[in-house]
């Protein structure tokens, strides 16, 4: 079934005229690249919930188990390719005057698709750092069940876990971008996890047009100017085509 953007023309005209765009993405945009979301079907791994694995407590309890989970996810991410939704956001970045993209994803697919101005709020699954917090360069040796820092403490994945604060500088930058944008586009996030979920609210309060792309309703939906239901890999190219902002051929568009 072909998705119809169905934006009311006055809203579409305002989007076409907007020069400053801020995009917030979550796991949903990578779903069609084969990277599972946390809250969707198959959200369990070896019977554990992500909250039990993606936390400092979970790591202290069983660091080898946490590393097994991350290496399994790294494998999925390494085999995944950016999809038409990621590529549409590359086209958007090239078409508009000012573009900033904050993502909660740790898969690096936005960067691999070709977006430049990316704030990876939750880190990168491909990097590691010292669990004790020392700043030594981390050599993540895949052969060890729990890789070690040169200081002797275990290494951990360089991602933000449940209960941890986001890197202050990145969050500050994202907050500034959200507060100054004319359009805030929110894609594939359940909008439950703060502080990222607060960014679209900040944008809305500062007068931005809020557009959401998701398969379902989220807590953000009631305050959005437009809610576009459907898979991001179909909705985003269609939306941008309808706004005249999709200029490049998108091989595999709609996959
Ligand atoms: P989430 O799993 O909580 O929510 C995913 C959202 O995407 C849901 O609202 C769902 O309806 C929507 N969705 C699913 N498939 C979609 C599609 N094809 N098109 C559009 N929307 C779709 O994810 P979240 O909000 O990002 O928050 C969970 C946390 O999990 C984040 O902190 C993130 O770091 C982490 N995480 C990251 C990845 C990744 O890097 N790809 C994957 C899983 C979880
Ligand atoms: Zn160390």
């Amino acid at each position: 079934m072909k998705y119809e953007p169905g934006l009311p023309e006055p809203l579409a005209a305002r989007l076409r005229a907007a020069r400053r765009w801020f995009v917030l993405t979550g796991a949903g945009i990578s779903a069609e690249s084969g990277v599972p979301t946390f809250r969707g079907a198959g959200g369990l791994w070896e019977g554990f919930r992500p909250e039990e694995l993606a936390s400092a407590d979970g790591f202290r309890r069983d660091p080898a188990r946490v590393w097994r989970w991350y290496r399994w996810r790294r494998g999925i991410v390494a085999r995944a390719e950016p999809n038409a939704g990621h590529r549409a956001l590359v086209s958007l970045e090239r078409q508009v005057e000012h573009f900033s993209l904050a993502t909660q994803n740790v898969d690096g697919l936005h960067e691999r698709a070709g977006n430049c101005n990316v704030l990876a709020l939750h880190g990168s699954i491909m990097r590691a750092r010292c669990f004790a917090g020392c700043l030594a360069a981390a050599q993540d040796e895949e052969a060890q069940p729990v890789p070690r820092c040169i200081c002797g403490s275990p290494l951990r994945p360089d991602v933000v876990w449940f209960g941890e604060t986001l890197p202050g500088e990145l969050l500050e930058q994202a907050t500034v971008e959200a507060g100054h944008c004319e359009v805030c586009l929110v894609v594939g996030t359940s909008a439950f996890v703060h502080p990222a979920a607060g960014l679209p609210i900040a944008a809305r309060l500062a007068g931005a047009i809020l557009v959401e792309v998701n398969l379902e309703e989220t807590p953000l939906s009631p305050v959005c100017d437009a809610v576009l239901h459907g898979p991001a890999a179909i909705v985003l190219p269609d939306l941008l085509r309808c706004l005249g902002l999709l200029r490049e051929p998108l091989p595999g568009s709609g996959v």
Side-chain angles (χ1 to χ4, degrees), residues 33-70:
S33 293
V35 183
T37 63
F38 277 0
R39 290 176 180 79
L44 290 180
W45 182 82
E46 290 186 2
F48 296 96
R49 289 182 302 120
E51 290 83 346
E52 295 172 79
L53 297 161
S55 70
D57 277 349
F59 189 77
R60 271 187 215 101
R61 267 198 299 277
D62 193 341
R65 183 173 73 199
V66 171
W67 268 112
R68 278 202 307 282
W69 185 53
Y70 274 92

Side-chain angles (χ1 to χ4, degrees), residues 26-28 32 36 38-39 104-107 122 188-190 214 216 232:
E32 283 138 289
F38 277 0
R39 290 176 180 79
Q104 300 164 86
N105 297 346
V106 295
D107 56 29
H122 290 179
T189 172
S190 53
N214 202 306
E216 48 193 46

Side-chain angles (χ1 to χ4, degrees), residues 130-136 149-153 155:
C130 177
F131 186 64
C134 91
L135 297 177
C149 178
I150 51 168
C151 78
S153 121
L155 288 176

Side-chain angles (χ1 to χ4, degrees), residues 149-193:
C149 178
I150 51 168
C151 78
S153 121
L155 288 176
R156 56 166 282 176
D158 190 6
V159 299
V160 176
W161 279 335
F162 291 100
E164 296 181 331
T165 52
L166 271 64
E169 205 175 300
L170 281 183
L171 182 61
E172 213 167 284
Q173 257 178 287
T175 307
V176 169
E177 296 289 356
H180 287 88
C181 69
E182 291 163 69
V183 181
C184 175
L185 179 60
V186 186
V187 185
T189 172
S190 53
F192 278 120
V193 185

